[in-house]
Amino acid sequence: MFFEKLKTYFSLSLSEAAVLPYYWYGWGLFFTLVVLLWILSRLKRDLVPVFSDEEGGVHITSQALEELVKKSCASMHGFETPSTRIFLKSGELRLRVSLDVSLDGNVKEIRSSLRRKIENIMVENLSFSNFGGVDIVIKGFKEEAS
């Protein structure tokens, strides 16, 4: 009985199926599942491994790592609004820092000082054993406020 009805639903044209409530229920369920999966993926905060030794392991949340980069960049000049993405590739942690650079800033100098400061904090202060480096992405240019 069920399979016979299922065969008739598959043989319907699009205009015939569109008037049936099951068609709309199916699409509604599909979009609800897609939105739910998207929300769950956005809320998921993975722990990033810092190091491990014989006493145990140390992990940090990605949110704390992003906050660490923002606070370390706060005292530096020549750029604004750093945002961070975290990537784990082959066990190595890489940071992608996106920022707005001022028009009169030296990009090479900003890149090297930012990379040096973040690497200093990550490797020397926090003892990251798997730190792979920092990638800088310039997402825009800002004029210096006089």
Side-chain angles (χ1 to χ4, degrees):
M1 176 102 175
F2 172 74
F3 292 113
E4 292 173 11
K5 283 190 176 184
L6 192 62
K7 280 185 183 179
T8 60
Y9 286 132
F10 284 127
S11 65
L12 294 175
S13 68
L14 187 61
S15 60
E16 293 171 334
V19 296
L20 296 174
Y22 299 115
Y23 177 79
W24 295 108
Y25 294 150
W27 278 109
L29 180 65
F30 173 74
F31 284 119
T32 303
L33 288 175
V34 167
V35 168
L36 183 65
L37 288 173
W38 179 77
I39 290 171
L40 287 175
S41 71
R42 298 288 291 174
L43 292 177
K44 185 175 109 178
R45 293 288 184 182
D46 288 333
L47 292 176
V48 178
V50 176
F51 67 89
S52 61
D53 56 11
E54 57 276 347
E55 294 180 17
V58 176
H59 294 79
I60 188 170
T61 63
S62 56
Q63 183 179 6
L65 200 53
E66 291 169 10
E67 182 181 336
L68 177 72
V69 171
K70 280 187 181 181
K71 286 185 178 182
S72 65
C73 295
S75 64
M76 301 179 73
H77 300 288
F79 60 90
E80 297 177 7
T81 62
S83 61
T84 308
R85 300 232 4 177
I86 302 159
F87 298 97
L88 280 171
K89 267 190 170 178
S90 305
E92 274 194 345
L93 175 93
R94 290 198 65 83
L95 299 176
R96 179 179 293 160
V97 180
S98 301
L99 42 89
D100 293 332
V101 177
S102 63
L103 287 174
D104 58 346
N106 184 346
V107 175
K108 283 187 177 183
E109 182 181 313
I110 291 170
R111 179 192 66 178
S112 63
S113 63
L114 180 63
R115 181 174 289 161
R116 191 171 37 250
K117 184 162 188 170
I118 291 175
E119 286 179 358
N120 182 32
I121 290 171
M122 302 290 275
V123 175
E124 293 178 20
N125 296 358
L126 296 176
S127 303
F128 269 77
S129 61
N130 61 344
F131 188 64
V134 180
D135 298 319
I136 308 292
V137 176
I138 298 173
K139 62 180 179 180
F141 293 94
K142 297 284 183 179
E143 289 189 31
E144 282 281 329
S146 300

